[in-house]
Amino acid sequence: MGNLLRAIAALLAVVTVTAALATGSLAQSGKPLADLNAATESELQALPRMTPAAAKGLAEKRPFKSIVDVNKILVEQKLTGDQIREFYRAAFVKINLNTGTREEFMLIPGVGSRMAAELAEYRPWKTWSQFDKEIGKYVGQQETDRIKQYVFIPPS
């Protein structure tokens, strides 16, 4: 019976890692996300799925108050959902954890409806250790660290 449980646990671990890689939650380049409000036009052009015209359009419409504003532009540029997620793995406008909307949280690559609800449920966020403890109940440290790239806790 012990061998069966170990085999099931190993299989679940493989399935979990495979699913995470498929959604991009573990597939990070290791580079920090570009700040879409601060990147130069040439830095924007170097991002995935950017054309010179799209980069110029993004630069002209700054500053962005929300990633939702960026998303509207990318949709207007006819990028698919997969292309937009690829772009967001390289660049983003960080979301305030205490005021972010479900719509904003859902734009974080790999964040689904359940995680978006959890990010809102534990408000007010005061520290990263609180974030690690509460969100860590649902995902591992690697995933909490990945999500932190997309959000911020405002100073009190």
Side-chain angles (χ1 to χ4, degrees):
M1 187 66 157
N3 286 340
L4 177 61
L5 289 176
R6 279 193 289 275
I8 291 171
L11 179 61
L12 283 173
V14 168
V15 169
T16 301
V17 169
T18 302
L21 286 171
T23 63
S25 41
L26 292 179
Q28 284 292 29
S29 66
K31 279 177 62 174
L33 294 174
D35 178 348
L36 291 172
N37 281 322
T40 65
E41 199 171 314
S42 62
E43 289 170 334
L44 291 173
Q45 283 182 31
L47 294 170
R49 306 298 176 175
M50 276 294 101
T51 63
K56 184 175 179 67
L58 281 173
E60 289 173 350
K61 292 183 176 153
R62 292 190 282 202
F64 300 109
K65 293 180 182 174
S66 164
I67 191 62
V68 173
D69 299 332
V70 175
N71 203 64
K72 288 176 187 168
I73 294 168
L74 297 178
V75 169
E76 288 170 2
Q77 292 287 323
K78 308 275 191 256
L79 270 67
T80 67
D82 286 341
Q83 291 170 329
I84 291 171
R85 280 186 290 282
E86 178 185 353
F87 180 80
Y88 290 158
R89 287 186 188 100
F92 209 72
V93 175
K94 288 191 175 202
I95 302 165
N96 181 330
L97 272 172
N98 289 328
T99 61
T101 65
R102 180 183 189 288
E103 182 180 13
E104 289 174 305
F105 291 141
M106 292 293 292
L107 292 175
I108 299 171
V111 167
S113 191
R114 169 88 191 265
M115 182 56 69
E118 298 303 334
L119 292 170
E121 180 180 336
Y122 290 100
R123 292 176 179 161
W125 294 100
K126 296 181 180 175
T127 66
W128 288 116
S129 60
Q130 173 196 11
F131 182 86
D132 289 340
K133 177 184 173 198
E134 300 301 348
I135 299 305
K137 293 176 190 174
Y138 307 100
V139 296
Q141 186 65 50
Q142 187 172 9
E143 181 64 0
T144 59
D145 289 344
R146 189 191 70 80
I147 293 170
K148 287 177 191 175
Q149 297 179 93
Y150 296 93
V151 297
F152 70 94
I153 297 173
S156 17

